[in-house]
Amino acid sequence: MLRQDSEPQGELAPVPGLADLDSLLAEVAKAGLAVRLRVEGTPSQLPAGVDLSAYRIVQEALTNVVRHAGPARAQVRIGYRDQDVTVEVTDNGRGVMALAGDGRVGTGHGLIGMRERVAAFGGDLEVGPDPGGGFRVAARLPLAVEGR
């Protein structure tokens, strides 16, 4: 719904980043999802790969809310810190998405993509039911990859 796997041929759109969240949230609002954005810390220039990955994680998490949470509200929290940027998307929807046959949460392609993006930067990802109800996606992306 919100995800664009490929761009039209011949058109090169600018690579999105966290500075583009307002337009993403406007798209989500058109799909019927109320979203609150909270920014902690001072927004700063991020490495391009980290910026794109953080944006895509928010995009995919919100797409999942629209698709799976039912009537819900969501909150996006972005945390700018010296060594990393954090992204958290929570909703108050139906709660746990479909469990895999072995009981694990989050085996869809979107969550797999999030895991791959976070792993590429040596970060952390947590997905699962939110203790207060609904679902939570939380990622930490280091600004510098250790050992490089």
Side-chain angles (χ1 to χ4, degrees), residues 44-121:
S44 58
Q45 176 105 17
L46 300 174
V50 170
D51 199 20
L52 173 62
S53 292
Y55 176 89
R56 293 292 189 214
I57 289 167
V58 172
Q59 181 181 39
E60 186 61 43
L62 291 174
T63 298
N64 287 342
V65 174
V66 169
R67 288 182 180 164
H68 304 291
R73 288 184 315 275
Q75 177 171 292
V76 174
R77 185 183 60 77
I78 307 296
Y80 292 92
R81 303 189 302 196
D82 291 339
Q83 303 297 318
D84 56 30
V85 63
T86 59
V87 172
E88 180 180 64
V89 179
T90 57
D91 71 73
N92 67 347
R94 285 190 272 236
V96 179
M97 296 181 340
L99 294 175
D102 61 3
R104 290 181 299 134
V105 174
T107 58
H109 293 297
L111 294 177
I112 291 169
M114 286 184 212
R115 284 187 177 94
E116 290 171 349
R117 288 180 186 282
V118 169
F121 296 99

Side-chain angles (χ1 to χ4, degrees), residues 10-35:
E11 293 182 34
L12 292 177
V15 175
L18 292 178
D20 302 302
L21 282 182
D22 287 339
S23 61
L24 175 62
L25 299 184
E27 281 184 55
V28 173
K30 288 179 190 175
L33 179 65
V35 182

